[in-house]
Amino acid sequence: MASSSSIMKRSESVVDTMPEALRQSRYHMKKCFLKYVEKGKRMMKLHHLMQEMESVIEEKDEKAQVLEGLLGYILCTTQEAAIVPPYVAFAIRPNPGFWEFVKVNSNDLSVDGITAIDYLKFKEAIVDETWADDENALEVDFGAMNFNMPTMSLSSSIGNGVNFASKFITSKLYAQSGSQQLLVDYLLSLNHLGEKLMINDTLNTISKLQGALTVALAALSSLPNDTPYESFELRFKEWGFEKGWGDNAERVRETVRFLLEVLQAPDPVNLEKFFSRVPSIFNVVLFSIHGYFGQSNVLGLPDTGGQVVYVLDQVVALEEELLLRIKQQGLNYKPQILVVTRLLPDAKGTKCNQDASEKIIEMMEGKPDLIIGNYTDGNLVASLMANKLGTTLATIAHALEKTKYEDSDMNWKQLDPKYHFSCQFTADMIAMNSADFIITSTYQEIAGSKDRPGQYESHGAFTLPGLYRVVSGIDVFDPKFNIASPGADQTVGYLEDNKKPIIFSMARLDTVKNITGLTEWFGENKRLRSLVNLVIVAGFFDPSKSKDREEMAEIKKMHLLIEKYQLKGQIRWIAAQTDRNRNSELYRFIADSKGAFVQPALYEAFGLTVIEAMNCGLPTFATNQGGPAEIIVDGVSGFQIDPNNGDESSNKIADFFQKCKEDAEYWNIISEGGLKRIYECYTWKIYANKVLNMGNIYTFWKQLNKEQKQLKQRYIQLFYNLHYKSMVRTVPIASDEAQPTHAIQVAKYYFLLHSGFLELKRLRAVQKLHH
C-alpha cells in the first residue's frame, strides 16, 4: 500500500478526502457498503471490513488498486465500524491519540463528519436503541474541566509528561509577571518535622533570593569541593539559607547554580536538575489492596503474587534512592515508606468502610509527601486519600482490563455479573483523572501502536449502554502521563549446568498468556522439536485444584495437546512455582544450557518476565502485542514474535537455534544485547530516580494549577458520590469460594511500615505464593 504521506496530506481530514476516495471506486464501493449493511445492526472490526470488501471485488488488480489508494489507507486506519442501516459509522485513528468519526450512507455513499458522541450513539443503538435515543442519558465529560490546562499535540510526545511540564513551567516563570514569586513561595513552604529547609522568611522575594544566591555562589567558589556543609552552615544561615542544598561545597554550589539559572534565564534542563535536588519527599504511602504482604507467611494470591512482588521491589528501589538523596541533600532524616493493604486472611468478608488516614498520619508523624496507588482498587483508595490530605498523587494501573476483552464496554451487562466491569472502568476513570501524574511502563500502555489503541487511550470516549456515555474519559496528550519502566531484580541466583537447549516459558495458565498456544506451536513444528526441548512453568496439573474456570479449561487443553502431539519426552510441564528464588535459578539454568525464554501472550501490558529473562542473559522471544515490543529491539536485544501467527513464530525460534548451531557466538551476541538493553533502560534505580523526580516536579505543577485542580476534583467528587458509590453496592463481598479477581473490594487495612532494608528483604525471603 502506498505511504499515507503520499496519499493524504496531514492537514486533510477524513471527512474531506473520503468522498473522493469512494467516487474513485464507486461501483465496487456501492456493492461493498450494501454488503456491510445487509446483515443489519452489528459492530465490525478492521479485519471484518477488509474481508467483506475483498469478497465483493473479485478482480485481483482492481482489489490491489483500491487497497493501495486513499480508500485503502482510510480503511487500514479504521479501528471499527458501527453498522446501523443505512449508515456505516467509522472510528478512524490515523495516528496514536488522534481520532476521526464519519458516517457513510450505503444508499448514495454520502459522507458526513460526526462527533464522538454521535459515534457512541451509533454503537449504543446496536444493543440498546431506546437508551441511545434518550436525551437524558448520562454523559460523563472529564475533559470539560481541562479548559485551561496545557496539553501536548504530537503522538511522539505522549508519555513525556515531565519534559513537557518542565517546559511549560519554564515559559510561565519567564513570561508571566509574578510567576517567579510562586517558586519562592514554594521554597518557603519546604519543611520536614517542623524544620524549615532551603530558605527561611528572610529570602521572601525574588530579588532577595537572587542576591543571596549570588553572594553564596561567590563564597562557595573558593571552597574545596569536599568541604562539608557544616563548615559553612552558620554563614549560610545568616544569609537566609537552611539545610537541604547539599552535603558538601561542590553539591551546594551546583544546586545554587541551577536555581540561579532558572531565575535568570529559565530553561527546562536546569529546572529539572534543580527540582531533582529539592528536599520535598521523605514519607511515601503506597496502596496495594491485594493483601498477603507476608501475612501468614504468604506473599500474594495465585493471580496477585507477581503484583505483590512488584510493589515490594518498588519499595526497595524507592527507599534506596531516598536514602541516597537525603544524604546528598545534607540532611539526617530517615525516610518512611508505608504499604497499605488488606489484612488477609483476617479481613475476608469485610466491607470497604475503613478510613486509614488517621493511622497513616499517626505512624508517619505527619502527612505523607507522596501517595502512590497500584492497580484499580489501590488507585481508587489512593485518589480518595490524596484528595482528603491534599497530597501529591501518582497512580500505576499496571494493566487496565478494558482492552483485554473485546467490546467489554458495549457488552458490560453480560460481563458484569462475573467481572464487575462497570465498577472497575468507573474506578479507573476516577483514579486517572484524580492523579497528579500517571506512571506507565511503556508507550503502548498509554497510546498503543500504529495499529492498536493503548489501554489508557481506550478510555478516551466509550459507552456503557444503559449506564453512562463517556464523552471524554482521559486525554493521552495530558502531561500527567509518564513512562518509568520497572526494573529487573539485580540479585538473580546462578546455577551452573550444561544440557541440551531448552525453550522456557513461565506465566499464569490463562487464555491471554497463551501458554497452550506455545505448546501447540512446538507440537506442530518438527524442526523446532528436533532442535530444543520445551519447559513450561504454569498452573496446576489437576484441573480440580483450580478455582478459576478459564484456568481449568487451559489445564485440560495442555493435557490434550501433550497427548495429541505425543510430546512426552520433549516437554516438561512444571506446576507454578512458589519460590521466587527458585524461579530466578530457573532463568539462570536455562541460560546456562544456552536456551531461550519465550513469552507468547496475545497481549502483554508490560512484561516483567521478559525483563527478568533478559536480565539473566537469556535470549528472549516475546509477543509484539503490547509492552515487550518496546522492551526488545528485534534481532538485537531479543526477538519479537506474532502470537497470532504460530507458524511464523515457531520458525523464528527454530531459525535462532539453527543459527546458534552453525555459529556458537550468535547466542552470546543476543544474550549480551539483552543485558545491555536492561542496564541502559530497565533497572529499579532508573525507575526510582524517575518517580521521585516526577514527585518533585508535579508537586510544584500542582501549585501552579491549583484552581484548575480544585475544579476538576469537585467534578470527580460529584461523580464518585452520586454514581460510583451506588454502583459498587451491587458488588458481592468476597468469600472463600472462587471469586473473579476483578471485583473492587477494599477491606480492613494492614500497615506494612518499611523502616529498614533488612526487614523488607526478610519478607522477600518468605515469598510463598498462596494457592
Side-chain angles (χ1 to χ4, degrees):
M1 192 177 76
S3 69
S4 60
S5 59
S6 65
I7 293 173
M8 187 173 170
K9 296 177 182 177
R10 186 176 180 84
S11 59
E12 293 178 324
S13 67
V14 172
V15 71
D16 294 329
T17 56
M18 197 168 186
E20 177 59 30
L22 292 174
R23 275 195 294 271
Q24 290 173 3
S25 306
R26 186 173 180 82
Y27 171 74
H28 291 302
M29 288 303 100
K30 185 74 174 175
K31 289 175 62 180
C32 179
F33 276 83
L34 288 175
K35 178 80 170 174
Y36 288 160
V37 300
E38 71 178 6
K39 294 181 181 178
K41 296 178 182 179
R42 57 176 173 153
M43 289 299 300
M44 295 182 72
K45 302 302 179 184
L46 173 60
H47 63 279
H48 299 136
L49 293 166
M50 299 301 280
Q51 284 171 2
E52 295 197 7
M53 185 188 74
E54 291 178 9
S55 72
V56 300
I57 307 177
E58 297 176 358
E59 218 288 316
K60 187 176 179 180
D61 291 341
E62 291 182 359
K63 189 183 299 183
Q65 185 178 354
V66 171
L67 291 175
E68 291 173 5
L70 177 56
L71 185 60
Y73 168 71
I74 293 172
L75 286 175
C76 285
T77 56
T78 296
Q79 290 298 313
E80 62 180 17
I83 314 298
V84 181
Y87 293 106
V88 179
F90 291 90
I92 299 165
R93 180 177 174 268
N95 285 296
F98 290 98
W99 292 79
E100 291 187 57
F101 304 96
V102 298
K103 68 176 182 181
V104 178
N105 189 318
S106 61
N107 293 326
D108 58 10
L109 298 186
S110 58
V111 180
D112 294 296
I114 58 176
T115 65
I117 297 174
D118 295 329
Y119 178 73
L120 294 177
K121 288 182 178 180
F122 270 103
K123 293 182 69 172
E124 293 159 2
I126 296 171
V127 295
D128 190 343
E129 189 168 3
T130 302
W131 197 80
D133 294 335
D134 186 354
E135 293 182 358
N136 297 312
L138 175 61
E139 291 187 348
V140 180
D141 187 0
F142 289 102
M145 299 294 108
N146 292 339
F147 49 87
N148 283 331
M149 292 294 286
T151 60
M152 297 175 283
S153 58
L154 300 175
S155 296
S156 58
S157 299
I158 293 171
N160 293 315
V162 161
N163 293 337
F164 179 87
S166 298
K167 291 174 183 176
F168 179 78
I169 292 170
T170 296
S171 65
K172 194 165 185 176
L173 291 176
Y174 184 78
Q176 293 188 12
S177 175
S179 291
Q180 289 189 335
Q181 185 60 40
L182 293 174
L183 179 56
V184 177
D185 294 341
Y186 172 71
L187 294 176
L188 284 169
S189 71
L190 295 175
N191 74 89
H192 185 59
L193 298 177
E195 185 176 10
K196 291 192 73 66
L197 301 173
M198 296 203 79
I199 64 173
N200 56 43
D201 293 335
T202 306
L203 306 179
N204 59 2
T205 66
I206 282 289
S207 58
K208 290 178 181 178
L209 178 58
Q210 282 184 311
L213 288 169
T214 303
V215 171
L217 188 62
L220 288 164
S221 62
S222 63
L223 297 176
N225 287 343
D226 59 355
T227 305
Y229 179 80
E230 291 76 15
S231 299
F232 51 89
E233 180 179 359
L234 290 178
R235 204 173 1 154
F236 254 52
K237 197 169 184 67
E238 290 174 3
W239 295 333
F241 296 108
E242 302 291 341
K243 292 179 181 178
W245 292 88
D247 58 346
N248 59 39
E250 180 182 30
R251 195 159 185 86
V252 174
R253 186 165 57 242
E254 290 173 352
T255 309
V256 167
R257 187 178 288 116
F258 292 150
L259 182 54
L260 270 175
E261 291 288 344
V262 167
L263 295 176
Q264 292 172 2
D267 72 276
V269 174
N270 279 308
L271 185 85
E272 285 188 42
K273 288 180 179 178
F274 173 69
F275 271 100
S276 72
R277 302 283 184 93
V278 172
S280 63
I281 299 176
F282 302 93
N283 295 334
V284 180
V285 173
L286 288 92
F287 282 92
S288 184
I289 307 301
H290 297 315
Y292 280 125
F293 274 78
Q295 304 104 294
S296 303
N297 280 344
V298 174
L299 205 63
L301 291 164
D303 196 41
T304 65
Q307 299 167 4
V308 169
V309 169
Y310 173 100
V311 173
L312 292 183
D313 284 340
Q314 184 185 29
V315 170
V316 171
L318 288 172
E319 185 191 51
E320 289 178 340
E321 184 65 23
L322 279 172
L323 286 168
L324 176 63
R325 288 186 176 210
I326 292 169
K327 177 183 177 299
Q328 290 177 336
Q329 289 159 352
L331 301 174
N332 192 30
Y333 302 125
K334 189 174 184 179
Q336 295 188 90
I337 302 178
L338 190 68
V339 177
V340 184
T341 188
R342 288 189 295 171
L343 179 58
L344 293 176
D346 301 348
K348 283 186 178 179
T350 59
K351 297 181 180 180
C352 47
N353 59 356
Q354 303 293 315
D355 187 347
S357 57
E358 290 184 10
K359 190 69 175 177
I360 288 171
I361 293 171
E362 176 191 333
M363 296 181 76
M364 288 190 154
E365 298 181 3
K367 294 180 181 180
D369 305 305
L370 177 64
I371 292 175
I372 302 176
N374 288 273
Y375 310 99
T376 296
D377 45 9
N379 285 335
L380 178 65
V381 177
S383 67
L384 298 174
M385 183 71 66
N387 181 49
K388 181 173 184 176
L389 300 181
T391 302
T392 301
L393 170 66
T395 60
I396 310 174
H398 297 277
L400 295 164
E401 295 293 318
K402 189 171 173 296
T403 54
K404 288 185 179 180
Y405 299 83
E406 189 168 276
D407 294 329
S408 57
D409 48 359
M410 287 270 290
N411 301 319
W412 72 274
K413 286 183 180 179
Q414 297 96 297
L415 296 168
D416 230 43
K418 181 178 181 181
Y419 295 116
H420 313 293
F421 279 154
S422 61
C423 287
Q424 182 154 12
F425 298 167
T426 306
D428 283 329
M429 280 199 304
I430 289 171
M432 63 180 72
N433 279 283
S434 298
D436 294 299
F437 63 101
I438 296 172
I439 302 168
T440 66
S441 299
T442 62
Y443 179 94
Q444 291 205 23
E445 186 180 340
I446 309 169
S449 61
K450 181 182 177 183
D451 303 318
R452 178 173 180 158
Q455 294 180 44
Y456 280 97
E457 189 180 0
S458 73
H459 291 76
F462 67 96
T463 182
L464 302 180
L467 188 62
Y468 59 69
R469 178 185 303 131
V470 180
V471 177
S472 175
I474 193 68
D475 182 2
V476 295
F477 293 97
D478 194 311
K480 69 170 62 180
F481 282 103
N482 290 274
I483 299 170
S485 303
D489 191 339
Q490 301 293 304
T491 58
V492 174
Y494 185 90
L495 181 63
E496 187 171 359
D497 201 307
N498 293 311
K499 289 190 176 181
K500 182 182 176 181
I502 294 169
I503 57 171
F504 165 56
S505 192
M506 179 166 58
R508 289 195 314 273
L509 200 52
D510 61 26
T511 306
V512 174
K513 293 300 183 183
N514 200 29
I515 292 296
T516 53
L518 172 60
T519 305
E520 191 161 14
W521 301 351
F522 182 72
E524 291 274 1
N525 195 317
K526 293 181 180 179
R527 183 166 68 102
L528 181 60
R529 289 170 65 174
S530 71
L531 290 166
V532 296
N533 287 326
L534 174 63
V535 170
I536 296 294
V537 179
F540 301 97
F541 303 132
D542 183 353
S544 67
K545 291 185 177 179
S546 175
K547 293 183 178 180
D548 185 274
R549 290 177 184 173
E550 188 176 317
E551 185 181 43
M552 290 177 193
E554 290 294 292
I555 292 169
K556 292 175 184 177
K557 188 175 179 180
M558 279 291 290
H559 285 293
L560 289 172
L561 290 170
I562 292 170
E563 187 67 29
K564 177 182 177 180
Y565 294 106
Q566 298 180 349
L567 296 179
K568 290 180 180 177
Q570 292 181 297
I571 184 173
R572 184 164 183 196
W573 177 13
I574 303 170
Q577 292 300 291
T578 60
D579 186 334
R580 196 181 183 208
N581 293 326
R582 187 178 299 169
N583 288 340
S584 299
E585 296 221 350
L586 273 170
Y587 284 121
R588 272 298 347 150
F589 173 78
I590 304 299
D592 293 339
S593 68
K594 300 296 183 184
F597 180 76
V598 183
Q599 203 269 34
L602 299 177
Y603 182 79
E604 183 65 58
F606 178 62
L608 198 55
T609 55
V610 173
I611 293 290
E612 291 174 341
M614 292 168 68
N615 188 55
C616 293
L618 192 56
T620 300
F621 294 79
T623 178
N624 61 7
Q625 301 297 310
E630 291 178 42
I631 297 170
I632 290 176
V633 180
D634 192 36
V636 178
S637 54
F639 301 92
Q640 296 178 16
I641 54 175
D642 184 352
N644 299 304
N645 191 332
D647 290 343
E648 178 188 270
S649 298
S650 62
N651 278 317
K652 193 169 187 177
I653 299 169
D655 289 344
F656 168 75
F657 282 102
Q658 184 63 46
K659 190 167 182 178
C660 288
K661 284 184 72 174
E662 297 164 0
D663 179 3
E665 190 57 29
Y666 186 59
W667 190 95
N668 292 327
I669 290 171
I670 300 299
S671 171
E672 289 167 6
L675 286 166
K676 185 172 183 285
R677 180 76 171 157
I678 294 300
Y679 295 146
E680 288 177 351
C681 305
Y682 299 101
T683 69
W684 281 109
K685 181 171 178 57
I686 295 172
Y687 173 91
N689 185 57
K690 284 184 177 180
V691 169
L692 292 176
N693 284 348
M694 291 175 204
N696 287 339
I697 287 281
Y698 284 101
T699 297
F700 183 57
W701 172 267
K702 182 179 175 182
Q703 295 300 315
L704 284 181
N705 301 286
K706 191 173 182 179
E707 292 181 2
Q708 189 73 36
K709 174 77 175 177
Q710 289 174 341
L711 279 173
K712 189 163 191 177
Q713 201 58 45
R714 290 287 178 89
Y715 185 86
I716 292 169
Q717 285 178 309
L718 189 70
F719 185 58
Y720 173 81
N721 285 297
L722 295 183
H723 203 69
Y724 178 77
K725 287 175 75 173
S726 61
M727 288 168 54
V728 83
R729 290 191 185 101
T730 65
V731 179
I733 298 172
S735 69
D736 287 335
E737 297 178 6
Q739 293 287 336
T741 58
H742 308 283
I744 313 298
Q745 283 295 305
V746 182
K748 291 180 180 177
Y749 290 112
Y750 165 71
F751 295 89
L752 170 65
L753 182 60
H754 180 207
S755 57
F757 184 72
L758 290 175
E759 174 61 17
L760 197 56
K761 285 296 184 185
R762 183 193 67 78
L763 276 173
R764 293 276 297 281
V766 295
Q767 289 177 10
K768 188 168 91 177
L769 298 181
H770 178 75
H771 290 282

